[in-house]
Amino acid sequence: MSSPEVLGQFIPLHYHYDMLRDNYRMTSFQQAIAATVQPGMTVVDLGGGTGVLSYFAAMQGAHVYYVERNPELVEVAKRFLTMNKVSDRVTIVHEDAAQFVPPVPVDVVTCEMLHVGLVREKQTLVIEQFKQNYVQAHGTKLPRFIPEASLLAIQPVMQAYEFAGFHAPVPLFQPPVATVDGTTELGLPAIYSTIVYDEAYPRSVDWKGVLTMQSAGTLNGWRVVTKNVLAVLVEEQSEICWHNQYLVVPIAQPLEVNVGDRIEVALNYEFCTELSHIWDGISQRVCPNSLTKRLAA
């Protein structure tokens, strides 16, 4: 299977259908679009999938260009948008979202090709290419993007890897909530990358930071957190956010840590690549001053 199909837009249909059942995702995007899109606006929905974001925008009175490369999804979206009585406000475009250039200037662009750590799907590549094409066609004033930004963070955790008595330290997806059974937070999350979609941004992560342990335990996993700021509400001084699922990555050699220990973490991986590149790109070591402090105690 070719790279474009593996890493991007040819996700199995059932995956798209299952996303419709994620109430947190659905209501977050619905609220962000309602707060951003006004009647008479023109919206582009890049990688439109089942058409749900196009539907939200059309219900706000916008004209929408739904753009999708997967022919099966194009047919699904046509059917769903007709069922929901908004097909007269949505132009279906069967095209690679990275190559699409709207025929007129637009007000808002939605793009939900988001995965934890910004790998696996093509969010950053598609928006980067869209901006280049758009500026050439319509000038330097960019539309507003939903999401507006993605914040990527890493957090030290003690993770249970026991499955009916079977010990298997494997990468684990988790619901994006503060407390998860089997996971103990050993420190606060540290942001390692901030992507603002209407600005220039990197194609990869090359970060090193020091995390201080807030609790004692066995550091045997790193939790990757992806917070997407869908819309910034300036007047309300608030924001509408949606988190991807958390990802816990096991550590090959667990570390016993005490409160105050400092762990140096390095991350190096490219966006829009295989999911495994995240855990292949994480390394850690105990800072020398932590060892000195422990010996002195």
Side-chain angles (χ1 to χ4, degrees):
M1 188 176 291
S2 65
S3 178
E5 293 171 335
V6 171
L7 291 178
Q9 301 169 15
F10 281 65
I11 296 170
L13 285 180
H14 66 80
Y15 183 86
H16 287 273
Y17 298 157
D18 204 46
M19 287 191 291
L20 296 173
R21 301 172 58 206
D22 184 343
N23 189 60
Y24 173 39
R25 172 184 180 267
M26 295 287 282
T27 57
S28 296
F29 275 95
Q30 185 178 39
Q31 291 168 7
I33 290 171
T36 305
V37 176
Q38 299 177 5
M41 283 187 170
T42 302
V43 175
V44 168
D45 183 13
L46 296 174
T50 58
V52 62
L53 302 190
S54 293
Y55 165 74
F56 290 153
M59 290 298 291
Q60 294 301 120
H63 179 78
V64 186
Y65 289 92
Y66 161 99
V67 187
E68 174 59 55
R69 180 182 178 184
N70 186 334
E72 290 182 296
L73 275 171
V74 169
E75 293 306 311
V76 165
K78 285 180 181 178
R79 186 168 75 252
F80 289 168
L81 293 169
T82 298
M83 285 180 181
N84 286 277
K85 298 180 172 54
V86 294
S87 58
D88 60 324
R89 283 165 269 169
V90 181
T91 299
I92 301 290
V93 181
H94 181 194
E95 188 175 330
D96 188 338
Q99 305 302 320
F100 175 69
V101 182
V104 296
V106 303
D107 302 288
V108 176
V109 172
T110 62
C111 185
E112 202 283 82
M113 299 183 187
L114 294 159
H115 205 287
V116 62
L118 294 181
V119 296
R120 189 64 179 90
E121 296 195 54
K122 295 185 175 182
Q123 181 81 6
T124 55
L125 287 179
V126 165
I127 293 181
E128 180 183 27
Q129 189 62 55
F130 175 86
K131 289 191 297 186
Q132 293 176 7
N133 295 337
Y134 187 86
V135 166
Q136 291 178 358
H138 301 297
T140 57
K141 188 179 186 303
L142 290 171
R144 189 169 178 178
F145 290 91
I146 299 176
E148 298 196 37
S150 293
L151 283 67
L152 313 181
I154 190 166
Q155 182 179 25
V157 298
M158 180 167 60
Q159 178 64 45
Y161 298 111
E162 305 295 332
F163 308 93
F166 183 63
H167 182 68
V170 295
L172 299 171
F173 284 104
Q174 298 180 337
V177 295
T179 303
V180 180
D181 289 342
T183 304
T184 301
E185 299 180 0
L186 298 178
L188 299 174
I191 295 176
Y192 64 83
S193 185
T194 299
I195 303 299
V196 180
Y197 289 107
D198 65 359
E199 298 178 359
Y201 49 75
R203 297 184 178 183
S204 61
V205 171
D206 186 7
W207 177 87
K208 185 180 291 184
V210 175
L211 280 71
T212 301
M213 301 299 104
Q214 307 290 321
S215 300
T218 302
L219 172 60
N220 64 357
W222 294 108
R223 184 155 71 179
V224 180
V225 178
T226 307
K227 175 182 176 181
N228 304 293
V229 181
L230 303 185
V232 176
L233 310 180
V234 177
E235 293 184 1
E236 293 86 348
Q237 296 186 338
S238 63
E239 57 190 24
I240 299 170
C241 296
W242 172 64
H243 292 71
N244 285 91
Q245 285 187 308
Y246 295 160
L247 172 67
V248 174
V249 178
I251 294 175
Q253 299 295 328
L255 301 170
E256 296 300 320
V257 296
N258 292 322
V259 175
D261 282 355
R262 291 159 54 83
I263 307 297
E264 184 180 85
V265 189
L267 287 93
N268 192 298
Y269 69 90
E270 293 185 7
F271 297 139
C272 309
T273 53
E274 293 287 358
L275 187 60
S276 60
H277 290 194
I278 290 185
W279 51 82
D280 290 342
I282 300 177
S283 61
Q284 62 281 315
R285 71 181 184 92
V286 180
C287 293
N289 60 341
S290 287
L291 292 174
T292 301
K293 183 192 71 174
R294 189 179 298 180
L295 291 172

